[in-house]
Every structure is written in structure tokens, then in C-alpha cells.
């Protein structure tokens, strides 16, 4: 998958915008096709923005969660430098899930949207929701 892998800092400000998958604390940038394919199974879509203070606060916990769960965290990192193909793929999924703000976590089970959490929800609630849906 993808060409770039960043084992970067826990500061969202230094993360490149785009489509990516977060696994084991590292981010791999992916194509729109890979993005759509990952959401056909069990996955968490995380819509984050580099200008969102809640996203910045959650980012270190999201990195840690990617080390502890087996479900891929598929990222759309919003910003002004997003390519048109990436934006189209993300916009289609965000419309399907009714994403209206950041941060948003959308939980997919067997390719179906089963739940979502929007905004500044406590991190413990996000973890609880993931365990409820995926076990563990």
C-alpha cells in the first residue's frame, strides 16, 4: 500500500494532508482506490483536520489506538493541499456517513457503516465504541 510511511511525531501539525491508513503508530499514504477498498471490510474512518483543536488533542491517542487494535484506521486528513481525486473519494464516503465536522470516527463492519462519533467526545467513549463493535 502507498509509497510514503511516516513514523512521525505526535503533532498533527506536521502530518501531510490526504488519504492514509494508520497502523502500529505509523501512517501510510494511500490512493483513492485503496481508500475505498479498505472501507469494504472492518475499518474505522477517521476524518481529521489540521486546523481543528479537538483533532490535535485526539491525535496522540489515535496513534496509540492504532497500536492496540487490529482494525485499520483509514484517515482523511483535511487540508488545503488535498488533490481532487483524494477529495472526491473522501467526499463520497463522508456524504454516505453524514460527516459534518471534525474529528469524526465512522465505524465500518463488513463494509457497512454501523456507528459514528462526532466532535469532542471523550477518548474513553471512542475506545469503548470500538471494543463494542470489533471486540477486544
Amino acid at each position: 500500500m502507498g509509497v510514503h510511511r511516516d513514523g512521525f511525531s505526535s503533532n498533527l501539525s506536521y502530518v501531510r494532508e490526504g488519504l492514509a491508513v494508520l497502523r502500529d503508530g505509523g501512517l501510510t499514504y494511500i490512493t483513492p482506490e485503496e481508500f475505498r477498498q479498505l472501507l469494504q471490510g472492518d475499518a474505522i474512518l477517521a476524518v481529521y483536520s489540521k486546523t481543528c483543536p479537538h483533532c490535535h488533542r485526539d491525535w496522540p491517542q489515535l496513534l496509540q489506538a492504532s497500536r492496540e487494535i487490529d482494525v485499520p484506521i483509514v484517515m482523511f486528513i483535511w487540508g488545503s493541499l488535498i488533490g481532487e481525486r483524494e477529495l472526491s473519494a473522501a467526499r463520497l464516503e463522508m456524504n454516505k456517513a453524514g460527516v459534518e465536522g471534525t474529528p469524526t470516527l465512522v465505524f465500518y463492519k463488513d463494509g457497512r457503516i454501523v456507528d459514528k462519533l462526532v466532535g469532542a467526545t471523550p477518548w474513553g467513549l471512542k475506545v469503548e465504541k470500538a471494543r463494542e463493535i470489533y471486540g477486544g
Side-chain angles (χ1 to χ4, degrees), residues 17-134:
E17 301 153 357
L19 304 175
V21 63
L22 180 57
R23 284 195 183 119
D24 299 322
L27 200 59
T28 303
Y29 290 90
I30 57 178
T31 66
E33 293 76 20
E34 291 169 317
F35 176 80
R36 285 189 287 273
Q37 183 180 10
L38 283 164
L39 297 178
Q40 295 302 309
D42 290 356
I44 299 170
L45 171 61
V47 181
Y48 276 52
S49 169
K50 293 177 67 167
T51 60
C52 165
H54 303 298
C55 297
H56 281 268
R57 188 194 68 230
D58 277 4
W59 185 245
Q61 286 102 335
L62 193 64
L63 290 174
Q64 183 59 39
S66 75
R67 293 180 179 96
E68 297 170 2
I69 62 170
D70 292 332
V71 176
I73 300 172
V74 181
M75 299 288 310
F76 175 56
I77 304 164
W78 185 266
S80 59
L81 301 176
I82 300 290
E84 190 53 46
R85 287 183 62 238
E86 292 175 310
L87 186 58
S88 293
R91 191 176 284 137
L92 179 67
E93 284 303 321
M94 291 186 338
N95 287 342
K96 276 199 311 195
V99 174
E100 296 176 357
T102 57
T104 296
L105 297 180
V106 182
F107 299 91
Y108 289 74
K109 186 83 173 156
D110 299 320
R112 287 184 23 256
I113 296 168
V114 295
D115 211 340
K116 72 178 175 181
L117 292 173
V118 181
T121 54
W123 189 255
L125 179 63
K126 294 173 182 177
V127 171
E128 200 175 295
K129 182 61 67 181
R131 285 190 179 130
E132 176 186 312
I133 294 169
Y134 306 110

